Amino acid sequence: MKNKLLRIVLWGIGIVVSLVAITLIAFNFYIGSSKPIIDGELTVSILDEDVTVVRDEAGVPHIEAQSDADLYRAQGYVQAQDRLFQMDLARRQASGRLAEVVGEAAVETDKFFRTFSLRDAAEKSWGGYDAEAKQVLEWFAEGVNAFMEEEHVSYEFKLLGYEPEPWTPLDSLTIGKYMAYDLGGNWSLLAFRHWALNHLSEEQVAELIVDYPEEARSIIEANVESEVQVAGAFHINAIPNEFNGSNNWVVSAEKSETGAPLLADDPHLGLGTPSIWYQMHLKSPVQNVSGVIFAGVPGIILGHNEEVAWGVTNVNPQVQDLYIEKPNPDNPYEFLYDGKYYAAEVRDEPIQVKGGETVDFEVIVTKHGPIISDLVFAEEPASAVFSMQWTALEPTRELQAVLGFNKAKNWDDFDVALRDFMAPAQNFVFADTSGTIAYRANGNVPIRKIGDGKLPVPGDSSQYGWEGYVPYDELPTVMNPEEGYIATANNEIIGEEYSYYITDFWAQPYRYERIVELLESKDQLSVQDMKDIQMDTVNLYAAEFLPYFIETLKVADTEGKYTAIIASLEAWNYDEAIDSNAALIFNFMMEEVKETLFMDAMPADVYKMMPGKYQIMDNFLRDAYAGNEGVWVQQAGGLQALVFGSFERTLEELNDLYGSNYEKWAWGDYHQLTFNHSIASAHELIAWYLNPQPQPIGGSRTTVQAAANRANGEVDHGASWRFVVDLSDLSQAEHIVGPGQSGHKQSAWYHNQVDDWANGNYHKTSIVGKYDEAYELILKAQ
């Protein structure tokens, strides 16, 4: 009887296993049926002549065409092969049209981006592009649409149950505007400061604002007299990551082992599947350029050609101003200006919702820009609201600049192209084969009539506003410096002697300081040195503050309870390696200090909105250790209570997570690299199928190897692309694009660079001759 029952159970288990296996095989076959064709021949009717597309061993497409027309058509086609779903989501998010395919969950996000008017700004920019750039955008769109007409789109569209719409040049421009949004925003800082002025003491506010604008009392009074609702009024999850930034540097020929300049760049953005970047090589009779581009955009935005190389980091100037607008009590679409009410522009923006009813929505645009705080007129009009003026909402030509970069032969050519790159403002580093190295902080930086953009200003008076931009020739520029190198890492780039205001809120200085320390450690540097610097995990943040903390802990630990742990911290070399317990303790402790200082002082969403918590906390700690405990430290119980209490809470939390033996704690047990797919959050099985396995990773948000983590330890932000090039041989360069080139799950290049990203294994990409060929596709003209 028992044997019979056992046979029945085993038989049942076998059936279940078989059904699961059949289901997985069928699902895998279903997914695989949408893999793009990357070998052999395909007829593409829009081409004038045949185009060759070689994908090398890293999955990088090398496109060779006989004309620029066919080159950009093929670029659009190839991008769509590998990344069409990502391209479609990007244009939908930036245009506020996700709810059409995702459903009600995306309505608030759509409202946010409709209000931020990126699509509208792209439409206004179109007229400013020259005929050549417009033609390139048209050619690119033709290529994308040629692929879509083959009805071979990727599985994600089938899973969500919709077909992508035809691609247009405005889709590419809208994605460009989204990158300006992601890299050039400070509105949330101004909204937070407005809230602080109305809810915190004057002493607290003075400490929060790095450079308190004492000279502009009228602006402060306007913020207090006309309070705008901030808490609960904004879609917090749509705010760009405050650690969006980059590292870049360029080394002169004299300081290089090869006798030619070296250039390195690694932009810090969100890490996901697929990568925000798509690496390509484009070759025609008039250009030969290699690097990366955002999926959905033509050209190469960062990289090199046969004569020049370039890279960027974020300047992050104050380019978004908030205005306190006063609506007419009798007509919420009219606003006060110089004693009279005027009618604002009102755009009807109905939001279609998959599986639901269309949501009526309006975007109201004042003289200064769109109203970005909630307008609720159900009972009575709001007494004051925020409008936003932003450089990227004006006509700009950043994609025209990109096309100029691609064909530049020297600094003079590149400098001409830079004039079209208006938003977002970027720190460009440059090198060419003549030995020139250069830097320019490029982009539109506003000049204000009154104030410096540190606080919202009255919108009801013509006394406030912009009166142009910093002249191009007066933007911060460096050419061939005596030091033999130029480096930026979102750090302060100018001193008090500079005639114009850029910002009072730079990134923490530690990445820049470490880069300079390593660049100056040798008389001559190699390509390998460049890569080693990009992968460096020594944390100068810890080097500054941990010695102070240790002295405090020794004094406060009167019973000697933590002597061993304190000694292990004291012995740490500040390298945030994956096996370091000190790195784990330090990072948790800094979070405890930050939360103790700020979290209970404000509503949860205002706390999340508050930018620069770390910089502000750093200043508080520096002042306190210099003997000047400010009001924020005092209300936390004083310096010793703040530091020792944060230390004890850190140990309690780590005991709960990893056990009581601190010697077995490791940074990598918590700090785990992830490249999550955009639809993986829909279900844990989808996440299991589409996401790579998390793995321990060193570094943090303040190391040169940038690896910022979420509260759960997932590292989802860092070097989205790593690039090193030697100007003595511009036939090739070294790259890492994590997690890989392809957006298709069954591609060999889907997650093949995850380990490379973690370990610093670069691949060489050639722009001449053979390309370590893996597959060759001939796109045949009809």
Side-chain angles (χ1 to χ4, degrees), residues 707-730:
N709 59 276
R710 301 167 63 190
N712 63 1
E714 289 186 358
V715 174
D716 63 350
H717 193 275
S720 48
W721 168 61
R722 296 192 183 107
F723 172 60
V724 174
V725 62
D726 176 3
L727 275 288
S728 72
D729 181 11
L730 279 178

Side-chain angles (χ1 to χ4, degrees), residues 450-524:
I450 298 178
D452 287 328
K454 299 171 187 175
L455 291 168
V457 297
D460 60 355
S461 171
S462 58
Q463 295 179 30
Y464 300 91
W466 297 355
E467 51 184 7
Y469 301 109
V470 175
Y472 179 81
D473 292 332
E474 297 182 47
L475 291 167
T477 305
V478 176
M479 294 279 291
N480 298 319
E482 292 182 4
E483 295 86 352
Y485 66 85
I486 307 167
T488 77
N490 318 116
N491 53 290
E492 186 171 0
I493 57 172
I494 44 88
E496 294 181 358
E497 74 283 354
Y498 189 61
S499 303
Y500 301 98
Y501 173 78
I502 294 183
T503 184
D504 63 336
F505 226 73
W506 307 97
Q508 291 169 286
Y510 307 106
R511 286 184 288 114
Y512 172 75
E513 291 174 351
R514 180 60 177 168
I515 291 166
V516 169
E517 181 179 289
L518 293 171
L519 290 176
E520 293 184 346
S521 67
K522 290 185 174 182
D523 292 332
Q524 291 193 316

Side-chain angles (χ1 to χ4, degrees), residues 343-604:
E345 174 192 349
V346 180
R347 295 202 313 263
D348 289 324
E349 298 268 0
I351 298 173
Q352 298 177 21
V353 182
K354 181 179 181 180
E357 297 182 358
T358 298
V359 175
D360 292 330
F361 187 67
E362 295 175 336
V363 176
I364 300 174
V365 184
T366 71
K367 287 180 178 291
H368 306 107
I371 298 295
I372 68 166
S373 52
D374 282 356
L375 293 174
V376 183
F377 302 133
E379 297 180 3
E380 59 181 89
S383 61
V385 293
F386 283 143
S387 69
M388 178 186 65
Q389 186 174 14
W390 177 24
T391 55
L393 293 186
E394 299 179 358
T396 61
R397 299 184 298 273
E398 53 276 357
L399 296 186
Q400 186 168 302
V402 168
L403 301 177
F405 300 161
N406 294 175
K407 296 180 180 180
K409 297 181 181 301
N410 50 47
W411 171 250
D412 289 340
D413 292 346
F414 197 82
D415 186 50
V416 169
L418 275 176
R419 293 172 187 269
D420 286 328
F421 202 95
M422 304 166 183
Q426 297 289 286
N427 293 304
F428 281 84
V429 294
F430 169 92
D432 66 23
T433 52
S434 74
T436 296
I437 64 171
Y439 158 83
R440 187 185 293 276
N442 197 72
N444 285 347
V445 179
I447 299 174
R448 298 167 176 87
K449 297 176 183 178
I450 298 178
D452 287 328
K454 299 171 187 175
L455 291 168
V457 297
D460 60 355
S461 171
S462 58
Q463 295 179 30
Y464 300 91
W466 297 355
E467 51 184 7
Y469 301 109
V470 175
Y472 179 81
D473 292 332
E474 297 182 47
L475 291 167
T477 305
V478 176
M479 294 279 291
N480 298 319
E482 292 182 4
E483 295 86 352
Y485 66 85
I486 307 167
T488 77
N490 318 116
N491 53 290
E492 186 171 0
I493 57 172
I494 44 88
E496 294 181 358
E497 74 283 354
Y498 189 61
S499 303
Y500 301 98
Y501 173 78
I502 294 183
T503 184
D504 63 336
F505 226 73
W506 307 97
Q508 291 169 286
Y510 307 106
R511 286 184 288 114
Y512 172 75
E513 291 174 351
R514 180 60 177 168
I515 291 166
V516 169
E517 181 179 289
L518 293 171
L519 290 176
E520 293 184 346
S521 67
K522 290 185 174 182
D523 292 332
Q524 291 193 316
L525 297 152
S526 66
V527 168
Q528 186 60 49
D529 290 328
M530 302 297 98
K531 295 190 285 187
D532 290 344
I533 294 172
Q534 286 187 337
M535 297 302 298
D536 186 79
T537 55
V538 171
N539 191 346
L540 297 188
Y541 192 28
E544 177 180 0
F545 285 107
L546 190 58
Y548 289 117
F549 290 169
I550 287 171
E551 293 307 311
T552 298
L553 298 178
K554 287 180 177 179
V555 172
D557 184 24
T558 55
E559 299 178 0
K561 183 178 179 181
Y562 304 112
T563 300
I565 294 180
I566 293 171
S568 71
L569 290 174
E570 202 166 15
W572 183 35
N573 63 358
Y574 309 121
D575 186 357
E576 292 186 323
I578 59 175
D579 61 352
S580 171
N581 61 356
L584 183 68
I585 295 169
F586 172 77
N587 281 284
F588 267 62
M589 186 174 171
M590 293 306 287
E591 291 300 310
E592 284 288 345
V593 171
K594 174 174 62 70
E595 292 182 2
T596 302
L597 284 169
F598 303 125
M599 184 173 280
D600 291 340
M602 58 196 73

Side-chain angles (χ1 to χ4, degrees), residues 281-325:
H281 167 214
L282 308 177
K283 187 175 183 179
S284 76
V286 295
Q287 62 178 312
N288 188 10
V289 60
S290 173
V292 291
I293 190 70
F294 301 120
V297 177
I300 297 296
I301 192 170
L302 302 172
H304 73 102
N305 60 30
E306 293 179 278
E307 293 169 281
V308 308
W310 68 98
V312 300
T313 67
N314 203 14
V315 179
N316 200 28
Q318 304 284 90
V319 295
Q320 292 175 335
D321 276 5
L322 294 185
Y323 293 82
I324 304 167
E325 305 283 5

Side-chain angles (χ1 to χ4, degrees), residues 582-765:
L584 183 68
I585 295 169
F586 172 77
N587 281 284
F588 267 62
M589 186 174 171
M590 293 306 287
E591 291 300 310
E592 284 288 345
V593 171
K594 174 174 62 70
E595 292 182 2
T596 302
L597 284 169
F598 303 125
M599 184 173 280
D600 291 340
M602 58 196 73
D605 62 333
V606 174
Y607 175 78
K608 289 180 181 179
M609 178 187 290
M610 176 186 176
K613 300 179 191 72
Y614 295 96
Q615 294 95 317
I616 295 168
M617 172 183 67
D618 296 348
N619 286 335
F620 291 174
L621 290 171
R622 290 187 190 106
D623 288 346
Y625 275 110
N628 304 309
E629 288 190 3
V631 62
W632 287 89
V633 173
Q634 290 173 14
Q635 69 189 19
L639 181 61
Q640 180 170 302
L642 171 64
V643 171
F644 191 62
S646 297
F647 176 69
E648 290 199 302
R649 288 188 296 275
T650 290
L651 297 187
E652 290 173 7
E653 186 172 2
L654 293 176
N655 277 331
D656 291 340
L657 289 172
Y658 305 113
S660 59
N661 187 351
Y662 74 89
E663 292 182 341
K664 293 185 178 180
W665 296 347
W667 179 226
D669 288 344
Y670 168 77
H671 200 240
Q672 299 266 317
L673 176 64
T674 59
F675 287 97
N676 292 336
H677 196 282
S678 55
I679 65 172
S681 60
H683 194 277
E684 59 184 16
L685 287 178
I686 296 177
W688 170 81
Y689 185 73
L690 294 179
N691 295 344
Q693 286 296 309
Q695 63 175 288
I697 191 73
S700 66
R701 59 180 176 77
T702 48
T703 57
V704 181
Q705 182 189 295
N709 59 276
R710 301 167 63 190
N712 63 1
E714 289 186 358
V715 174
D716 63 350
H717 193 275
S720 48
W721 168 61
R722 296 192 183 107
F723 172 60
V724 174
V725 62
D726 176 3
L727 275 288
S728 72
D729 181 11
L730 279 178
S731 69
Q732 64 181 13
E734 308 219 24
H735 305 253
I736 303 175
V737 182
Q741 279 284 99
S742 176
H744 198 285
K745 168 63 180 177
Q746 290 194 4
S747 169
W749 305 303
Y750 181 68
H751 279 154
N752 66 306
Q753 293 186 56
V754 173
D755 290 342
D756 293 339
W757 195 97
N759 299 316
N761 298 323
Y762 295 66
H763 61 265
K764 285 184 172 66
T765 301

